[in-house]
Amino acid sequence: MITRCYLEITNICNLDCLFCPKTDRAKRKLSLEEFDLLTNRLQGKIKFLYFHLMGEPLLHPNLPQFITMARDKGFIPVITTNGTLLSRAHNIIASLPHKVQISLHSHEGNGKENPEQYIKEVMEFTQRAAEAGIVVVLRLWNQGGYESQNDHLHELIAEYFPRPWSERYYGWCVTKNVYLEYARIFEWPDGEREENDEKEAFCYALRNQIGVLVDGSVVPCCLDHNGTITLGNLFEQPLDEILSSPRARAIYDGFTRHEAVEPLCKRCGYAAVIKKFLGRGNSR
């Protein structure tokens, strides 16, 4: 079973974050019928279903229904959002996703100041969601980049969830079901970039994650935002057939040898970082 599938229910977003690569694909949203078909073909093969690759999932009017459908089919649903639309998200809490990840760095990534109202809406949602048993991860994935407001954000969060917080390896446990998580800002893979200096590489693509774009295209991982490495189409083919294709097997076998075989993967900083972090003995 593949651990995670990033199912893009829409590639439309309401923000224009400086760190986001955007996409030049046609804008669309999945219909209920399309979501049902895609999840039927993923059922029993995927554990966690992430409602995101590009786009803002809270823009989709059927998101609560999608979450319920996913749970009924045995998936563990996870939402990733920029947090700007949470004031309208009462039905999201009622549909009980397992986890909601809120990218707080999107506020500064749009050049916005005075985050008080933004954090107020995020914290009010977080309080209700945590009380309902939903895990909420407040993400500041902006280390080395858009982080000038972080100290102020910490103070605002502490007004709703007073310190002390419990320290974790990558952040804090703020209270039960609420976590504050840090990561460095990263460069998305880009075919125009130079190949990585690090020749050895490893990635969990096709091992414990895949992506499904809003048009049904299956890609190896959540960073293939333009569908550069399209392996097949889930509207037209079963997942097993797509994952057993020669191109998919070449990617999988390449990373088994700690080698990136696709040009895009050779230009992805994550593949080199994962290899360095895990070491050869722990990455398989």
Side-chain angles (χ1 to χ4, degrees):
M1 175 178 284
I2 294 176
T3 307
R4 293 171 287 167
C5 175
Y6 295 85
L7 177 57
E8 185 182 74
I9 62 173
T10 179
N11 59 357
I12 301 168
C13 190
N14 62 321
L15 293 184
D16 186 23
C17 296
L18 293 172
F19 51 79
C20 179
K22 317 301 188 293
T23 177
D24 55 16
R25 294 179 282 119
K27 305 299 184 185
R28 72 188 302 270
K29 300 177 181 178
L30 287 181
S31 68
L32 279 170
E33 294 75 19
E34 289 172 331
F35 182 84
D36 189 43
L37 173 59
L38 293 177
T39 49
N40 281 344
R41 293 193 167 177
L42 294 168
Q43 192 171 14
K45 306 176 189 300
I46 303 294
K47 184 176 182 181
F48 290 92
L49 194 64
Y50 286 68
F51 291 74
H52 175 73
L53 200 146
M54 297 298 287
E56 169 52 54
L58 266 67
L59 285 173
H60 203 300
N62 298 123
L63 178 58
Q65 191 169 352
F66 286 172
I67 295 170
T68 300
M69 291 169 67
R71 284 195 297 104
D72 290 346
K73 293 184 181 188
F75 300 102
I76 301 175
V78 179
I79 308 301
T80 300
T81 173
N82 58 45
T84 59
L85 305 175
L86 289 172
S87 60
R88 65 170 76 169
H90 303 290
N91 290 337
I92 302 301
I93 294 176
S95 64
L96 288 178
H98 167 67
K99 180 166 63 175
V100 177
Q101 303 179 143
I102 306 171
S103 298
L104 300 184
H105 48 277
S106 65
H107 185 84
E108 189 171 359
N110 280 270
K112 295 186 177 181
E113 299 179 351
N114 304 319
E116 288 78 10
Q117 182 60 33
Y118 170 69
I119 291 297
K120 177 179 183 293
E121 294 179 4
V122 169
M123 291 299 101
E124 289 175 350
F125 170 87
T126 298
Q127 289 174 326
R128 296 194 306 272
E131 289 171 1
I134 299 168
V135 175
V136 179
V137 178
L138 307 169
R139 304 199 305 187
L140 286 171
W141 287 16
N142 57 4
Q143 308 301 291
Y146 309 101
E147 56 180 319
S148 67
Q149 295 185 25
N150 282 9
D151 289 343
H152 185 40
L153 294 178
H154 294 158
E155 296 304 319
L156 293 175
I157 293 169
E159 293 178 9
Y160 294 85
F161 298 103
R163 295 182 173 98
W165 303 333
S166 300
E167 190 170 4
R168 293 163 60 87
Y169 175 72
Y170 48 83
W172 302 89
C173 175
V174 175
T175 189
K176 184 179 179 182
N177 293 329
V178 181
Y179 301 89
L180 181 59
E181 178 184 285
Y182 303 102
R184 289 193 62 79
I185 194 168
F186 64 92
E187 291 187 24
W188 290 70
D190 184 343
E192 301 301 317
R193 289 177 56 196
E194 293 290 329
E195 290 189 10
N196 296 328
D197 292 333
E198 175 68 47
K199 296 305 179 185
E200 284 196 272
F202 181 81
C203 183
Y204 287 111
L206 304 180
R207 274 177 163 75
N208 77 351
Q209 70 161 291
I210 59 170
V212 180
L213 304 181
V214 71
D215 66 353
S217 297
V218 175
V219 294
C221 79
C222 60
L223 297 184
D224 190 356
H225 56 96
N226 262 332
T228 302
I229 311 174
T230 295
L231 303 173
N233 193 292
L234 201 58
F235 284 133
E236 303 166 0
Q237 303 165 266
L239 183 62
D240 289 344
E241 178 182 311
I242 294 171
L243 297 183
S244 62
S245 68
R247 191 177 188 184
R249 291 308 310 172
I251 294 169
Y252 186 99
D253 293 342
F255 282 127
T256 299
R257 301 188 304 270
H258 297 266
E259 176 187 353
V261 299
E262 288 281 343
L264 189 70
C265 301
K266 294 177 181 179
R267 292 163 171 81
C268 177
Y270 252 60
V273 167
I274 292 173
K275 171 64 179 64
K276 289 179 180 178
F277 178 75
L278 292 175
R280 178 176 290 276
N282 297 324
S283 58
R284 300 188 182 189

